[in-house]
Structure formats: structure tokens, C-alpha cells
Amino acid sequence: MSDAIIQADGVNRVFTVGGNRLHVLKDVALRVATGEAVAVVGASGAGKSTLLYTIGGLDRPTSGRVLFKGADLYALPGGARTRIRARDIGFVFQSYYLMPELDVAENVMLPAMTGEGPFKGSRAARKARAAELLAAVGLAERAGHTPAELSGGEQQRVALARALINEPEIVMADEPTGNLDSRTGGQVLDYLFSLTKDQGRTLVLVTHNPALAERCDRVVELADGRLANG
């Protein structure tokens, strides 16, 4: 296995709800190699999304370390961690989180307008990159439409294009077809894999779908907060 791009060492995540402690992640160890596609599977409520958000720099672990290319994510200053998330990690969520007042092209360009990434200095370059991605997901003719004018599958394809706008090294997808029917979901997955795994990008995918998991290079299972085969 090549060098790890993401590594979790002894990660625990505990939430306190109504005075009760919920130990969602328990001493999790996970290593993801550069260019690898890894599926995280498990029952609903097993902690899959919490794990994804923790290794993606969105949710600080209660204890343990998360390394991104050897750097301890949560030991970095907040600004440095934000820059890594903006520049190097692309997220695709089950909900699309598109801005309703923006058109499709503007939604795709949003992460590139934060002052980070390869297109931060040029609006023309951002527009060209957005157009390229929308063409790649079959939505070139929808660039000027608003999210409300798109189907669920089309909105998720916009979300995928948005996740890739800054040419991130790793894409993290949390049940990306959970709100879609099987046919539409299959189309979205084809785009997801063609734009990530087939291009050598690293992909971490949370899913409860065994058929989807099998499309990845490796499958790890989270059960009762523990990762048996990370």
C-alpha cells in the first residue's frame, strides 16, 4: 500500500445528550492510501457519518489523532484546517446543500471563491472549470438554471461537481444516493466513480448499500463504534 493520505489512530468520539454519554466511535484505526477507494459500511446509527466528518476535519474527535498527509489535522490552527478542507478535501453529502438563490454554475464555483484552491485568482478560470465539470456530469445545458428547476439526481450531480471544483486530492461521500431512486442513484454513482476512482483520486464512501461498496477497492465495516478491518 502506498503512503496514507488519511489516517485515524485511536479515534474516539463521545457525545453528551440529555446528560447521557454516547460513545459513537471507539478506538477507531483507519488508514486510506493515496488513490484508494474505500467504502465504510455498517448499520444505521453505527457512526459512519461521524467517522467521515471526523477524518474529514469537520468534527473534532474526543481523543485520538487524524493525520492528513502526515499532519495532525486537529493539532493545526483552525485556519490551516479550514484551508485543507477547502483546497484538498471535497465533500458530497446525502442532502445537496445547494444555494437556492444561485444558479447551477455559481453553486459549483462557490468553494473556489473562498480564496483557496487553484482557481482563487481568476474568475475566468473558475468559470471554465465549472463548465468543464458540468459537462462531465451531463449538465452543461443547465448551468444557468436554479436548483429548484432541477431534479434530485441533477442536484446531486451539481453537488458532485461542486465537490471537485478545487481539484481536491480526496473526495468524501456520505450516502450520496440516499435520497435518490435506484436508477437515478446509479447514474450519479457512475459519475462519482468516473470522476474520482477512475482518475486516481482518493475516495472514502459511506454507504449501507453492499452493491455500491463492492465498487470500491476495499470495504471496512463499522459496528458498535468499532472498525474491525481498517
Side-chain angles (χ1 to χ4, degrees):
M1 184 181 291
S2 60
D3 290 342
I5 186 170
I6 285 283
Q7 183 171 334
D9 291 330
V11 165
N12 290 271
R13 186 65 175 98
V14 179
F15 296 92
T16 302
V17 180
N20 297 316
R21 284 170 53 86
L22 301 177
H23 202 159
V24 177
L25 299 178
K26 302 174 182 176
D27 199 31
V28 168
L30 175 66
R31 179 185 173 93
V32 180
T34 301
E36 187 180 22
V38 176
V40 181
V41 302
S44 178
K48 302 186 301 296
S49 295
T50 299
L51 175 60
L52 193 74
Y53 302 158
T54 301
I55 65 174
L58 292 174
D59 185 25
R60 180 181 293 273
T62 305
S63 62
R65 297 189 309 163
V66 176
L67 306 180
F68 176 77
K69 298 173 68 173
D72 187 337
L73 266 181
Y74 294 98
L76 295 172
R81 190 165 58 253
T82 297
R83 286 190 291 274
I84 288 174
R85 287 199 308 264
R87 184 184 61 232
D88 299 314
I89 303 174
F91 288 93
V92 183
F93 302 99
Q94 181 172 336
S95 297
Y96 320 124
Y97 298 121
L98 302 179
M99 301 293 289
E101 67 274 19
L102 301 181
D103 66 28
V104 163
E106 290 167 336
N107 267 284
V108 172
M109 286 189 287
L110 266 180
M113 298 168 66
T114 61
E116 297 299 332
F119 306 103
K120 62 182 179 181
S122 171
R123 177 172 172 78
R126 290 195 297 268
K127 290 183 68 174
R129 173 65 174 161
E132 173 190 355
L133 287 167
L134 287 171
V137 298
L139 293 175
E141 297 181 357
R142 300 290 237 159
H145 290 236
T146 64
E149 298 175 291
L150 273 57
S151 68
E154 288 170 333
Q155 290 186 59
Q156 189 60 296
R157 282 187 271 161
V158 174
L160 173 58
R162 180 185 59 195
L164 294 168
I165 186 70
N166 279 335
E167 300 181 347
E169 296 189 54
I170 182 168
V171 174
M172 297 190 176
D174 185 11
E175 298 281 11
T177 61
N179 288 331
L180 306 175
D181 60 67
S182 58
R183 178 176 176 274
T184 304
Q187 293 173 340
V188 169
L189 290 174
D190 287 342
Y191 286 118
L192 174 65
F193 280 96
S194 67
L195 290 170
T196 56
K197 183 175 183 292
D198 294 351
Q199 293 187 13
R201 298 182 193 273
T202 307
L203 173 65
V204 180
L205 174 68
V206 162
T207 183
H208 65 274
N209 185 335
L212 170 53
E214 289 176 2
R215 297 182 65 170
C216 294
D217 300 317
R218 182 162 58 103
V219 180
V220 297
E221 183 175 4
L222 191 66
D224 191 29
R226 300 184 185 278
L227 204 59
N229 50 347

